[in-house]
């Protein structure tokens, strides 16, 4: 989500004074946006093939997307070499690929997209102008040089009046509660024949 250059040429623009950091996940290691999407495909179709209820699948995918957002955002906040307009553009593009994946699987209402919101906001923050008070105000709106200390303080002052937590790092240990929906079986249970190989002759049909 952070390292791969999925928009070719964009990452050639680096903030002044920043040295290029060697990628922790070189492209030939298999860690890429494409590999994430492929793994999500395998995970999603495996859940379906094993007969999991659709609602349960949606809840599991939401948890997966939260973890993707959490790990990506926390790494972004801890790395100053990521504080650039071009990186914000790259991250937003990668998030869009995840959103398209949800759309393709008809999972828009699962809450998975909403779990990506902190990462989307961070990408928008990197993409807007960061010089004046008006620029700080724009962060709280829908739309998207290096972040200055005075600008960060302006954002913090604005956050003081909001009900949401001002904590920046996300908690990677959060696990959403799971609801198991009740869906009556379409198979008449009295018609089921148990194979003798299961050695369940002691059971009595009621």
């Amino acid at each position: 989500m952070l390292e791969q250059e999925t928009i070719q040429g964009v990452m050639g623009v680096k903030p002044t004074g920043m040295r290029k950091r060697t990628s922790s996940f070189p492209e030939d290691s298999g860690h890429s946006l494409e590999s994430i999407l492929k793994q999500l495909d395998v995970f999603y179709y495996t859940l379906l093939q094993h007969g999991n209820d659709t609602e349960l699948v949606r809840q599991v995918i939401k948890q997966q997307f939260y973890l993707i957002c959490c790990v990506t955002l926390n790494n972004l906040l801890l790395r100053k070499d990521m504080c650039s307009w071009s990186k914000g553009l790259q991250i937003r593009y990668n998030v869009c690929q995840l959103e398209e994946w949800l759309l393709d699987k008809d999972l828009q209402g699962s809450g998975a997209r909403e779990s990506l919101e902190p990462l989307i906001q961070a990408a928008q923050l990197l993409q807007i102008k960061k010089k004046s008070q008006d620029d700080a105000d724009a962060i709280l709106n829908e739309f998207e040089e290096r972040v200055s200390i005075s600008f960060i303080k302006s954002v913090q002052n604005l956050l003081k009046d909001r009900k949401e937590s001002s904590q920046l790092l996300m908690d990677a240990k959060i696990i959403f509660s799971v609801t198991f929906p009740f869906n009556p079986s379409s198979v008449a249970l009295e018609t089921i024949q148990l194979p003798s190989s299961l050695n369940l002759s002691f059971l009595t049909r009621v």
Side-chain angles (χ1 to χ4, degrees), residues 53-163:
D53 186 87
T54 302
E55 180 56 34
L56 185 59
V57 172
R58 293 159 74 89
Q59 294 177 61
V60 173
I61 295 299
K62 175 185 176 181
Q63 182 71 59
Q64 290 295 312
F65 270 61
Y66 174 82
L67 291 175
I68 291 174
C69 177
C70 180
V71 173
T72 304
L73 181 63
N74 288 351
N75 276 278
L76 172 64
L77 293 174
L78 295 173
R79 289 181 55 180
K80 63 181 181 180
D81 61 314
M82 293 290 171
C83 294
S84 65
W85 176 88
S86 55
K87 178 57 67 176
L89 179 64
Q90 184 68 74
I91 294 171
R92 189 65 188 94
Y93 174 80
N94 291 346
V95 171
C96 283
Q97 302 306 298
L98 295 179
E99 291 175 321
E100 288 186 9
W101 186 89
L102 290 172
L103 184 63
D104 181 60
K105 302 299 184 294
D106 195 25
L107 293 169
Q108 308 94 300
S110 63
R113 193 274 174 195
E114 288 73 14
S115 69
L116 295 173
E117 193 61 34
L119 189 56
I120 293 173
Q121 292 175 4
Q124 290 174 337
L125 171 61
L126 292 174
Q127 287 181 266
I128 66 171
K129 292 190 255 183
K130 306 174 185 67
K131 295 181 180 179
S132 67
Q133 179 63 37
D134 290 337
D135 294 331
D137 291 333
I139 295 173
L140 306 181
N141 296 328
E142 287 288 324
F143 297 96
E144 339 208 286
E145 324 163 338
R146 197 156 161 197
V147 183
S148 67
I149 297 298
S150 60
F151 178 77
I152 293 176
K153 288 182 178 178
S154 295
V155 175
Q156 289 176 328
N157 289 332
L158 290 171
L159 287 174
K160 289 179 181 178
D161 299 325
R162 302 188 72 183
K163 294 181 180 179

Side-chain angles (χ1 to χ4, degrees), residues 3-52:
E3 301 284 358
Q4 189 190 23
E5 184 179 352
T6 46
I7 304 179
Q8 296 299 321
V10 171
M11 296 311 297
V13 182
K14 299 290 181 184
T16 304
M18 282 290 182
R19 291 182 301 171
K20 184 176 181 180
R21 171 174 171 159
T22 302
S23 171
S24 302
F25 305 106
E27 291 187 11
D28 59 357
S29 70
H31 296 281
S32 65
L33 178 62
E34 183 179 0
S35 69
I36 291 175
L37 295 174
K38 286 183 177 179
Q39 190 61 46
L40 284 171
D41 274 340
V42 171
F43 191 58
Y44 173 73
Y45 287 118
T46 299
L47 288 172
L48 293 183
Q49 289 169 1
H50 284 78
N52 287 284

